[in-house]
């Protein structure tokens, strides 16, 4: 299947190494200094581009967390979003911890090692800025709730991001499924990551 140039551009903007150093220095009480890796992985190649994401506190780079998989596909939503991001989680994340810094750990990853999170999906729209540069905005479809079970616990996450050529804004928040209150993440606004390096397509 031929992938659209818009989908490929979104993936190009998302893939790379990022950190929020400036934000953490200016607002240290509210934002931890994080390093984030987003790596292209060779699964579901027939109709999509798929990204592994992981992050770590800058002072504990050897203890990364929040491993997740984002599958970028052409949109098939009722509200006609041109692109979508479908989330997956690892059935067992242990073998892949640290794959942000060591992508070779992802070489043998198979779809069978992942679990689809049906309700964890984003609609993505693109806005032309200038000179073939774009801004992508990803938000949940109306009346959807990203909720799943992990290790016997109900997990709820509010997902969302914006991506440009040099910046990635994460709106992800962990939500208490009983109270609806935010527990972690972008509680006072997005984490603003600046791209440090990227992958050419």
């Amino acid at each position: 299947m031929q992938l659209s140039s818009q989908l490929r551009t979104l993936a190009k903007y998302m893939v790379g190494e990022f950190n929020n150093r400036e934000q953490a220095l200016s607002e240290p009480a509210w934002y931890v200094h994080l390093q984030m890796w987003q790596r292209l992985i060779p699964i579901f190649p027939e109709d999509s581009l798929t990204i592994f994401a992981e992050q770590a506190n800058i002072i504990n780079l050897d203890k990364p967390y929040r491993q997740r998989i984002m599958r970028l596909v052409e949109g098939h939503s009722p509200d006609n979003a041109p692109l979508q991001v479908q989330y997956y989680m690892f059935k067992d994340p242990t073998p892949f911890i640290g794959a942000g810094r060591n992508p070779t750990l992802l070489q043998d990853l198979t779809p069978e090692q992942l679990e689809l999170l049906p309700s964890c999906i984003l609609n993505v729209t693109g806005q032309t800025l200038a000179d073939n540069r774009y801004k992508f905005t990803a938000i949940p479809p109306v009346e959807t709730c990203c909720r799943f079970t992990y290790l016997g616990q109900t997990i709820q996450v509010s997902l969302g991001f914006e991506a440009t050529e040099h910046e990635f804004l994460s709106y992800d928040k962990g939500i208490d499924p009983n109270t609806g209150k935010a527990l972690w993440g972008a509680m006072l606004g997005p984490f603003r990551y600046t791209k440090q390096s990227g992958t050419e397509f």
Side-chain angles (χ1 to χ4, degrees), residues 17-20 22 166-168 192-196:
E17 298 184 13
F18 303 77
N19 73 48
N20 68 327
E22 293 183 8
H166 302 295
E167 190 175 44
F168 186 88
R192 295 181 173 271
Y193 294 98
T194 301
K195 180 176 281 195
Q196 308 301 304

Side-chain angles (χ1 to χ4, degrees), residues 139-185:
I139 61 173
V142 176
E143 297 182 357
T144 60
C145 176
C146 176
R147 186 179 290 187
F148 54 94
T149 301
Y150 180 67
L151 298 178
Q153 292 188 325
T154 298
I155 306 296
Q156 185 174 327
V157 184
S158 174
L159 298 169
F161 66 80
E162 295 177 19
T164 59
E165 187 175 7
H166 302 295
E167 190 175 44
F168 186 88
L169 275 59
S170 173
Y171 290 86
D172 292 359
K173 296 188 292 289
I175 304 296
D176 185 323
N178 297 313
T179 66
K181 293 183 178 180
L183 301 174
W184 53 261

Side-chain angles (χ1 to χ4, degrees), residues 12 48 72 91 100 113 129:
K12 181 179 179 180
S48 55
L72 283 52
K91 293 177 181 177
Q113 293 171 292
L129 300 178

Side-chain angles (χ1 to χ4, degrees), residues 83-95:
L83 305 174
Q84 290 185 305
V85 179
Q86 174 65 64
Y87 285 74
Y88 294 72
M89 71 176 183
F90 291 103
K91 293 177 181 177
D92 178 10
T94 305

